[in-house]
Amino acid sequence: MAPQHRTPLAALAVLALLPIGLAGCGAGDGNGGPAAPTGRAPAEEAAAKSRERVQAYLDALAARDADAGRSQLCAPMQAAFDAAATGPNGDFADHFTVPQAAITDVRTGSKGQEVSAVITVAAGSRKADRALLFTVTRTGADWCIAGEAPGGNSPPPSGTP
């Protein structure tokens, strides 16, 4: 059997088609385009996105907008939210108001970004401060709240980055 020789035309065809074949292999925005640079380090971006999600939830809580609050949650949390959010002890119960809410700390935790917040809950003339710990994770190109629990992290001492 005689050895096969490739023609220069075949080599050119492979080189011409190679970029098209590799177009889907690189990092991108999920729509075929390059990912938009944020100008931030991954940890800094994670903290900023987590803070944004929790702040949007706190704003929805203060505005009594359950739909806006639900939209900040990861899909697995939404069914539980729907069942409990407007119930007697839910975050969006009719007899509660939230006159104040503030994020006190954002840090990396074992299950994602941990965002600590303190909310003031009012029922009639009674008010109480409640500490909450939100866990925020990345799902694809987006961020969502994956957990909410009582408590929170103490803010770092002043002067600590």
Side-chain angles (χ1 to χ4, degrees):
M1 187 183 265
Q4 291 184 333
H5 296 290
R6 295 188 182 193
T7 64
L9 186 56
L12 281 175
V14 168
L15 289 175
L17 295 175
L18 188 61
I20 294 169
L22 293 176
C25 296
D29 64 1
N31 295 319
T38 62
R40 296 188 263 193
E44 184 180 317
E45 180 181 8
K49 294 292 185 178
S50 297
R51 179 181 286 276
E52 288 171 14
R53 281 294 178 187
V54 172
Q55 187 60 56
Y57 186 84
L58 296 175
D59 291 346
L61 192 55
R64 313 307 303 149
D65 187 345
D67 290 336
R70 183 184 197 278
S71 71
Q72 304 309 311
L73 304 176
C74 297
M77 280 194 62
Q78 291 178 354
F81 177 86
D82 292 343
T86 58
N89 292 315
D91 288 354
F92 291 84
D94 287 337
H95 58 282
F96 292 137
T97 61
V98 179
Q100 293 180 322
I103 293 173
T104 58
D105 185 58
V106 180
R107 65 179 70 173
T108 300
S110 62
K111 296 180 182 178
Q113 294 294 308
E114 294 179 348
V115 181
S116 300
V118 174
I119 64 170
T120 301
V121 178
S125 62
R126 295 180 16 189
K127 291 183 180 181
D129 289 339
R130 298 289 181 244
L132 296 172
L133 181 63
F134 295 92
T135 302
V136 181
T137 60
R138 188 172 189 161
T139 56
D142 205 5
W143 294 82
C144 60
I145 297 172
E148 175 187 343
N153 294 320
S154 299
S158 62
T160 303

